[in-house]
Amino acid sequence: MNILFIMYDQLRFDYLSCAGHPHMDTPHFDRVAKMGMRFTNAHTQSPVCGASRMSFYTGRYASSHGAQWNGFPLRIGEHTLGDHLRSTGMGCWLIGKTHMKVDAEGMARLGLAPDSIVGARQAECGFDVWVRDDGLWGEGPDGFYDEKRSPYNEFLNSKGYESTNPWADFANAGVKDGEKASGWMFDNADQPANIREEDSETPWLTLRAIDFIDQAEGPWCAHVSYIKPHWPYIVPAPYHAMYGADHVPEAMRDDREREDAHPVYAAFMGNKIAAAFQQEEVRQKVIPAYMGLIKQCDDQLGRLLDHLEATDQMDKTMIVLTSDHGDYLGDHWLGEKDLFHAQSVKIPMIIYDPRAEADVTRGTACDALIEAIDLAPTFVAAAGGTIADHILEGRNLRPWLHGETPEWRDVCISEYDYSSTPMRDVVGVSNRDARLFMVFDGRFKLIHAEGGFRPMLFDLKNDPSEFVDLAKADAHGDEIARLYDHLARWGRRMSQRVTRSDADIDSSRGKSGRRGILPFLKDGTEVPEALTKAYRGPAKQTFVAQSQKKDG
Amino acid sequence: MNILFIMYDQLRFDYLSCAGHPHMDTPHFDRVAKMGMRFTNAHTQSPVCGASRMSFYTGRYASSHGAQWNGFPLRIGEHTLGDHLRSTGMGCWLIGKTHMKVDAEGMARLGLAPDSIVGARQAECGFDVWVRDDGLWGEGPDGFYDEKRSPYNEFLNSKGYESTNPWADFANAGVKDGEKASGWMFDNADQPANIREEDSETPWLTLRAIDFIDQAEGPWCAHVSYIKPHWPYIVPAPYHAMYGADHVPEAMRDDREREDAHPVYAAFMGNKIAAAFQQEEVRQKVIPAYMGLIKQCDDQLGRLLDHLEATDQMDKTMIVLTSDHGDYLGDHWLGEKDLFHAQSVKIPMIIYDPRAEADVTRGTACDALIEAIDLAPTFVAAAGGTIADHILEGRNLRPWLHGETPEWRDVCISEYDYSSTPMRDVVGVSNRDARLFMVFDGRFKLIHAEGGFRPMLFDLKNDPSEFVDLAKADAHGDEIARLYDHLARWGRRMSQRVTRSDADIDSSRGKSGRRGILPFLKDGTEVPEALTKAYRGPAKQTFVAQSQKKDG
């Protein structure tokens, strides 16, 4: 079996027709949902690209792997999906984006050369790189562009897009009155990107994925990781014109949210991206472009699926469709992601398992509490490996896929470290306290903020839109205490005992006696004679007398 | 400045004359206490050798570094005291025991050769090895002896102690009626070890330390790490005869401790070592030997101190005397360590700081809540380095040493992972739940056991002997809740964000705009023109029209 692990960036869980979107038509996402199982209650481990991805790629919570925000390096030696899969004999390849930043200090300290196989894998969070491009090739005064190679920019140059940064000048900009109309400005989101559709990022990466599939040898896991529909919100024709104001749902927001808002929530509602999305004209321009980007993703997914079918690989390929987090798009008075309303913390999760055991669940939905970290152990098990559950903190989804109802977690945890954002200063906490934790049991959602604040609490049964923060009223103390107990238990979890499996511990238990370490004997009769044999018998020489003589 | 970081193994905090022992006379420990400061409330991070030491050597809690029991490898890449000190230009050397087990899987995965400098340091928890010997050279059927080289055994061979394991046959055995009288059997603890006193472990290591001091170049931290007074409880003449039954204090135990005992405590009270120490005759034999071992340590400390004075190094050498944990010696119906009564969790901690600023505290005691992990940052600061407090979880003791009263921690935390012990089966929990946590605020001590048990609670003000577990009575709910809050906060601590310092985060904050990443613009007027300059200007070529034409 191979694994096609497809990730979209910032794809909201409910912007798919199979998830009930009133205007999106995504026949190819729906096709996989029909072939497989759609998990309706899947959560990112952290609603920000870098931290979320490091959780997907390590199978561990953000607080466990420590790369808690964009650009925080994944520390040297952290076990990755690649490590786990390669030990089963499966390759683990990257085609697209990871947002990985290398732990250069750790590499130097351990003397790892970036151009060695070990060094390259450490630098790429465990993947072998077929092609990597993270997109977002900025060009500001402090530089970012050219910090790394951009295969996509090189491709555009080869296609005649003449610029040092064709990503910015063509793929993510339109033209208005002969001037560049940058996709960074929401005002330009209704323009078509100044690029041939087939040269834009999503088709380009799809072709790289098809190249990989055609050339790959041995069992493989391919992480096809699209940069879209992440901002800049701009899409080439004809996708730019497929959706309009009629397709923009009303913003899911409520005045009650702004009354006595939690200080952290208030800070996010007051940031620049929120201010932009609070303007209806921004939503009217951005959301159709966002939908066009998703529609293009869907078409390209169709192309990939067709290729698998045409090459007879569908029956031996597990397919996973997911995202690193969602996008508020003006809901809850917010833009971007970062917080824990469903729009941000929930992720699409559709899994096609080709095994016959999964026939019973094809086309069904599962509303169990799923975490992003569940994919890594699911993949290891699918590859025939033993799940190193002293390292991997997620749970194998196989039972759900095969129609069973396993013992399962009581709560989902998600985290957010906002120390690198301006909101830290607005809230007025230290970098160390600029952290949020979500505990969600399927009905009640508690959000804890470090720094001495009250929590937030939502009851999704009575308030599915998450408008009413029950913790404002100082009520529901029992629910709050119960969820805090879950958080405390999670905080004490065994997350770093990564060098000893339970099996190792079992097999070592009680061995010290057999190694000749006997710290509990009065006279030796307490244990089998074999254990003390080496310590009995005639003294070979006697030094005591000499010593005593000397001292005397 | 140099640092002489001396550790004794299993030295109980109250078996020193400066700590008030009624019968021990330890003039050299006292001499350092008079020159420096004695911390009366210092705690091990885990009352077991390996985990405790890995905390000393990383400056991190056991749950943070993950090497939570003896023989659990310290995972590859974990930052060590050696890493921190070497970056200040100070060498970090080992003379004696560490209990470090190499993460062989991690070494192999990262391609580190054990005989490279990097590999050797990884294998030795960051130390450069002057001499390493962990002692405890067992000789059982499963082998242990010869798993590593024993420089001490080689030394004994060179001195004419003929045996494949002279550690066991001479240094830790006596002679009775011409037969070996192994130190493993408590019955033999009153015998003199069959070795010339000057060849026994403590003097041998002292000489190695003097060799190091005489040959060391550049600023150094020397971890002189004695194996004694750890069991086997046997000591050469004349120390074997210095203490007798008159010097054995009554066991600190109370029948109330056995009534409705906490299941974990009950399991430990029922183990073999506890059963042995519940016999008065065992205490009568073992405790005088233990005291003799300490007396020998004191004499050898005097030798080291005299050497520093004779070579004019006392005014430029920080001296630290401590231990990895204590020894119950029958108190609380227990032997060994493992649990959190003062006899086990408290450690001696005496620090001589040669700097003039420390003159005001010489000869004084400090009862602040100290943790073992405080030494690493104290050393880094003393070496002139900046404390990497995103990695090091302890606190610099300098203010206390210099007579200040800093803001300080509210509670001490200590942990114990008993998954590798037979008590796990007695208690009947999973390996993952075989964990204990202590939270101590200076008066109340809470012990939490995973697995659904009630906690234990002691009030050391009204019950300094820790006989009365208040949690049995289902009272003191407020104290319990308050200490659980501390534990929960600790559980959520930032422990793995080791690749980003607070300073890094501060300097990166708000930089994305300057890198040209602009995800919040409606039309660009929101930010200085310089940030959007690269995204404006005439379109270089126009592809949109072509694309639209083609699609039309």
Side-chain angles (χ1 to χ4, degrees):
Chain A
M1 182 148 70
N2 298 320
I3 300 171
L4 190 57
F5 168 27
I6 305 179
M7 187 177 288
Y8 301 92
D9 198 317
Q10 199 144 336
L11 172 60
R12 223 171 105 148
F13 78 102
D14 57 353
Y15 268 63
L16 301 172
S17 41
C18 58
H21 194 281
H23 305 298
M24 286 295 318
D25 180 30
T26 51
H28 302 294
F29 279 91
D30 299 5
R31 179 174 160 196
V32 181
K34 210 165 171 182
M35 291 160 57
M37 195 169 205
R38 189 168 65 84
F39 293 89
T40 63
N41 226 345
H43 296 79
T44 180
Q45 249 50 67
S46 183
V48 64
C49 299
S52 167
R53 287 159 180 272
M54 295 310 116
S55 284
F56 274 108
Y57 307 152
T58 62
R60 289 160 62 71
Y61 291 103
S63 283
S64 300
H65 60 64
Q68 299 175 199
W69 209 68
N70 295 333
F72 287 22
L74 184 69
R75 73 162 157 219
I76 202 78
E78 186 73 6
H79 287 84
T80 60
L81 180 59
D83 293 318
H84 295 288
L85 290 181
R86 276 190 294 272
S87 74
T88 74
M90 179 179 274
C92 188
W93 291 85
L94 171 67
I95 300 143
K97 165 173 174 166
T98 59
H99 222 120
M100 167 72 180
K101 178 151 180 166
V102 60
D103 176 8
E105 182 277 332
M107 293 274 281
R109 187 161 45 92
L110 296 191
L112 298 184
D115 58 355
S116 65
I117 289 179
V118 166
R121 285 175 177 163
Q122 287 292 316
E124 298 291 356
C125 52
F127 291 105
D128 286 321
V129 175
W130 183 258
V131 61
R132 175 176 175 183
D133 201 306
D134 279 12
L136 293 194
W137 297 107
E139 247 185 343
D142 265 16
F144 184 74
Y145 178 61
D146 256 353
E147 187 187 305
K148 301 176 280 201
R149 270 186 64 216
S150 165
Y152 179 58
N153 266 342
E154 290 166 15
F155 164 80
L156 291 182
N157 285 152
S158 78
K159 288 284 188 174
Y161 297 87
E162 285 167 27
S163 161
T164 53
N165 186 1
W167 179 92
D169 289 341
F170 296 101
N172 289 283
V175 178
K176 254 189 211 167
D177 308 326
E179 298 281 310
K180 257 193 283 182
S182 170
W184 288 123
M185 324 300 174
F186 298 146
D187 261 359
N188 299 326
D190 58 350
Q191 298 297 312
N194 183 18
I195 192 166
R196 300 176 200 103
E197 191 274 330
E198 65 268 27
D199 296 338
S200 61
E201 287 169 288
T202 300
W204 168 75
L205 198 74
T206 303
L207 268 188
R208 300 291 79 74
I210 289 171
D211 287 347
F212 171 81
I213 291 168
D214 288 346
Q215 295 175 52
E217 287 172 14
W220 49 259
C221 172
H223 181 44
V224 178
S225 183
Y226 289 100
I227 300 158
K228 298 298 180 183
H230 192 287
W231 41 259
Y233 303 104
I234 192 163
V235 63
Y239 296 100
H240 77 294
M242 285 187 184
Y243 303 95
D246 288 353
H247 306 112
V248 176
E250 208 178 334
M252 295 270 287
R253 63 192 187 198
D254 192 292
D255 286 334
R256 285 171 293 176
E257 296 182 280
R258 308 176 100 170
E259 289 160 18
D260 187 25
H262 189 284
V264 176
Y265 181 28
F268 278 85
M269 282 194 284
N271 73 13
K272 287 177 182 164
I273 190 104
F277 273 97
Q278 286 164 18
Q279 302 171 54
E280 197 51 31
E281 56 189 317
V282 167
R283 296 184 72 250
Q284 297 286 339
K285 286 204 175 188
V286 163
I287 292 177
Y290 182 71
M291 293 170 73
L293 287 164
I294 295 169
K295 183 67 181 170
Q296 187 186 27
C297 287
D298 187 72
D299 284 341
Q300 293 297 319
L301 173 60
R303 199 174 166 196
L304 258 183
L305 297 175
D306 291 348
H307 186 76
L308 286 175
E309 276 177 356
T311 54
D312 285 333
Q313 297 191 71
M314 196 59 100
D315 61 351
K316 60 173 184 180
T317 307
M318 174 178 273
I319 302 173
V320 175
L321 308 176
T322 191
S323 180
D324 50 356
H325 52 74
D327 191 328
Y328 275 110
L329 296 171
D331 292 346
H332 302 288
W333 311 96
L334 296 167
E336 277 272 69
K337 45 263 180 179
D338 308 319
L339 299 183
F340 303 100
H341 301 92
Q343 290 85 351
S344 170
V345 77
K346 278 182 69 170
I347 49 176
M349 178 78 77
I350 302 170
I351 304 183
Y352 160 65
D353 179 346
R355 290 171 287 194
E357 294 89 335
D359 288 350
V360 292
T361 64
R362 303 202 189 285
T364 66
C366 171
D367 60 4
L369 289 173
I370 303 303
E371 298 186 331
I373 55 176
D374 295 338
L375 286 183
T378 303
F379 293 173
V380 172
T386 302
I387 296 167
D389 64 3
H390 59 302
I391 303 172
L392 293 167
E393 299 187 295
R395 296 180 179 212
N396 184 0
L397 297 174
R398 188 207 55 76
W400 297 114
L401 293 167
H402 294 182
E404 299 163 19
T405 305
E407 283 265 326
W408 205 245
R409 61 171 62 88
D410 297 319
V411 293
C412 274
I413 303 284
S414 191
E415 304 172 68
Y416 188 64
D417 177 336
Y418 64 101
S419 60
S420 294
T421 78
M423 278 63 80
R424 189 214 79 120
D425 295 314
V426 177
V427 175
V429 292
S430 69
N431 285 342
R432 197 159 299 200
D433 279 346
R435 293 170 74 210
L436 307 173
F437 299 85
M438 179 201 81
V439 190
F440 178 51
D441 69 3
R443 174 176 173 182
F444 287 100
K445 186 183 281 186
L446 176 84
I447 292 140
H448 168 73
E450 294 296 340
F453 303 102
R454 68 164 173 84
M456 301 177 75
L457 182 74
F458 298 97
D459 174 358
L460 274 72
K461 186 176 168 200
N462 292 314
D463 173 31
S465 305
E466 304 177 80
F467 289 151
V468 183
D469 175 1
L470 297 167
K472 284 178 190 171
D474 205 19
H476 294 82
D478 286 354
E479 295 304 338
I480 289 173
R482 184 176 59 81
L483 293 169
Y484 264 113
D485 274 353
H486 279 292
L487 182 60
R489 198 173 314 148
W490 175 84
R492 297 188 309 261
R493 77 199 176 281
M494 181 71 80
S495 69
Q496 306 301 326
R497 196 173 73 184
V498 295
T499 60
R500 278 282 184 187
S501 68
D502 281 354
D504 282 345
I505 290 170
D506 286 342
S507 70
S508 71
R509 196 145 58 227
K511 269 209 179 152
S512 64
R514 307 226 312 276
R515 289 200 314 263
I517 307 295
L518 306 166
F520 51 77
L521 304 183
K522 187 164 167 288
D523 56 19
T525 57
E526 300 92 330
V527 294
E529 210 178 302
L531 295 185
T532 58
K533 204 172 150 190
Y535 302 113
R536 298 184 183 281
K540 295 178 188 176
Q541 295 159 273
T542 306
F543 292 91
V544 179
Q546 299 171 18
S547 180
Q548 283 177 319
K549 206 179 301 168
K550 202 191 67 182
D551 286 315
Chain B
M1 181 148 70
N2 298 318
I3 299 170
L4 190 57
F5 168 28
I6 304 178
M7 187 177 288
Y8 300 91
D9 198 316
Q10 200 145 333
L11 172 60
R12 219 171 110 149
F13 78 102
D14 57 352
Y15 268 63
L16 301 172
S17 42
C18 57
H21 195 282
H23 304 299
M24 286 294 316
D25 180 30
T26 51
H28 302 293
F29 279 93
D30 299 5
R31 178 174 159 195
V32 181
K34 211 166 170 181
M35 290 160 57
M37 196 169 204
R38 189 168 66 83
F39 293 90
T40 62
N41 225 346
H43 296 80
T44 180
Q45 249 53 66
S46 183
V48 64
C49 298
S52 167
R53 287 159 180 273
M54 295 310 117
S55 285
F56 273 108
Y57 306 152
T58 62
R60 290 160 61 74
Y61 291 102
S63 281
S64 300
H65 61 64
Q68 298 175 200
W69 209 67
N70 295 335
F72 286 23
L74 184 69
R75 75 164 154 218
I76 202 78
E78 185 75 6
H79 288 83
T80 59
L81 179 59
D83 294 319
H84 294 289
L85 290 181
R86 276 189 294 272
S87 73
T88 74
M90 180 179 272
C92 188
W93 292 86
L94 171 67
I95 299 142
K97 165 173 174 166
T98 61
H99 222 120
M100 167 72 181
K101 178 149 177 166
V102 61
D103 175 8
E105 182 278 331
M107 292 274 280
R109 187 160 45 91
L110 296 191
L112 298 184
D115 57 357
S116 65
I117 289 178
V118 166
R121 286 175 178 163
Q122 287 292 315
E124 297 291 357
C125 52
F127 291 105
D128 287 319
V129 174
W130 184 257
V131 62
R132 174 176 175 183
D133 201 306
D134 278 13
L136 293 194
W137 297 107
E139 247 185 343
D142 266 15
F144 183 76
Y145 178 60
D146 256 352
E147 187 187 306
K148 301 174 280 197
R149 273 185 62 215
S150 165
Y152 179 57
N153 266 342
E154 290 167 16
F155 163 81
L156 290 181
N157 285 153
S158 79
K159 289 283 186 173
Y161 298 88
E162 284 167 26
S163 162
T164 54
N165 186 3
W167 178 92
D169 289 340
F170 297 100
N172 289 282
V175 178
K176 252 189 213 167
D177 307 326
E179 298 280 312
K180 256 193 285 183
S182 170
W184 288 124
M185 324 300 174
F186 299 145
D187 261 359
N188 300 327
D190 57 351
Q191 299 297 313
N194 182 17
I195 192 167
R196 300 176 200 105
E197 190 273 330
E198 66 268 28
D199 295 338
S200 62
E201 286 169 287
T202 301
W204 169 75
L205 198 73
T206 303
L207 267 189
R208 300 290 79 72
I210 288 172
D211 287 347
F212 170 81
I213 290 168
D214 288 346
Q215 295 175 50
E217 286 171 14
W220 48 259
C221 172
H223 181 44
V224 178
S225 183
Y226 290 99
I227 301 158
K228 297 298 180 186
H230 192 288
W231 41 258
Y233 302 104
I234 192 164
V235 62
Y239 297 100
H240 78 293
M242 286 186 183
Y243 302 95
D246 289 352
H247 306 112
V248 176
E250 207 178 334
M252 294 270 286
R253 62 193 187 198
D254 191 290
D255 286 333
R256 285 171 292 177
E257 296 182 280
R258 307 176 102 170
E259 291 160 16
D260 187 23
H262 189 285
V264 177
Y265 181 28
F268 278 85
M269 282 193 286
N271 72 12
K272 287 176 183 164
I273 189 104
F277 274 97
Q278 286 164 18
Q279 302 171 54
E280 195 52 29
E281 55 187 319
V282 167
R283 296 184 72 250
Q284 298 286 339
K285 287 205 175 187
V286 163
I287 292 176
Y290 181 70
M291 293 170 74
L293 287 164
I294 295 169
K295 183 68 182 170
Q296 186 186 28
C297 287
D298 187 72
D299 284 342
Q300 293 298 319
L301 173 60
R303 198 175 166 195
L304 258 183
L305 297 175
D306 291 348
H307 186 76
L308 287 174
E309 276 176 357
T311 54
D312 285 332
Q313 297 190 69
M314 197 58 100
D315 61 350
K316 59 173 185 183
T317 306
M318 174 179 272
I319 301 173
V320 175
L321 307 176
T322 190
S323 179
D324 51 355
H325 52 73
D327 191 328
Y328 276 110
L329 297 170
D331 292 346
H332 302 287
W333 311 96
L334 296 167
E336 276 274 68
K337 45 265 182 178
D338 308 319
L339 299 183
F340 303 100
H341 300 92
Q343 289 84 350
S344 171
V345 77
K346 277 182 69 171
I347 49 176
M349 178 79 75
I350 302 171
I351 304 183
Y352 160 64
D353 179 346
R355 290 171 287 194
E357 294 90 334
D359 288 349
V360 291
T361 64
R362 303 202 189 285
T364 66
C366 171
D367 60 4
L369 288 172
I370 303 302
E371 299 186 332
I373 55 176
D374 295 338
L375 286 183
T378 303
F379 293 174
V380 171
T386 302
I387 296 166
D389 63 3
H390 59 304
I391 303 171
L392 293 167
E393 300 188 295
R395 296 181 179 210
N396 184 0
L397 297 175
R398 188 207 54 77
W400 297 115
L401 293 168
H402 293 183
E404 300 163 18
T405 306
E407 283 265 325
W408 205 244
R409 60 172 61 90
D410 296 318
V411 294
C412 274
I413 303 284
S414 191
E415 305 172 68
Y416 189 63
D417 177 335
Y418 64 101
S419 60
S420 293
T421 78
M423 278 63 80
R424 189 215 78 120
D425 296 314
V426 176
V427 175
V429 292
S430 69
N431 284 343
R432 198 159 300 200
D433 279 346
R435 294 169 74 208
L436 307 174
F437 299 85
M438 178 201 82
V439 189
F440 177 50
D441 69 2
R443 174 175 172 182
F444 286 100
K445 186 184 281 186
L446 176 85
I447 292 141
H448 168 73
E450 293 297 339
F453 303 103
R454 68 164 174 84
M456 301 178 74
L457 182 75
F458 297 98
D459 174 359
L460 274 73
K461 187 177 168 199
N462 292 315
D463 174 31
S465 304
E466 306 177 79
F467 289 150
V468 183
D469 174 1
L470 297 168
K472 285 178 189 171
D474 205 19
H476 293 82
D478 286 352
E479 295 303 338
I480 289 172
R482 184 175 60 80
L483 293 170
Y484 263 114
D485 274 351
H486 279 293
L487 182 60
R489 198 172 315 150
W490 175 83
R492 298 188 309 261
R493 76 197 177 283
M494 179 72 79
S495 70
Q496 306 302 326
R497 195 172 74 184
V498 295
T499 60
R500 278 282 183 184
S501 68
D502 282 353
D504 282 345
I505 289 171
D506 285 341
S507 70
S508 70
R509 196 145 59 226
K511 269 209 182 154
S512 64
R514 308 224 316 273
R515 290 199 315 264
I517 307 295
L518 306 165
F520 49 77
L521 304 182
K522 187 165 168 286
D523 57 19
T525 57
E526 300 91 332
V527 294
E529 211 178 300
L531 294 185
T532 59
K533 205 173 151 188
Y535 301 113
R536 300 184 181 280
K540 294 176 189 178
Q541 294 159 275
T542 306
F543 290 91
V544 179
Q546 300 168 20
S547 179
Q548 282 178 318
K549 208 178 298 166
K550 201 190 70 183
D551 287 313

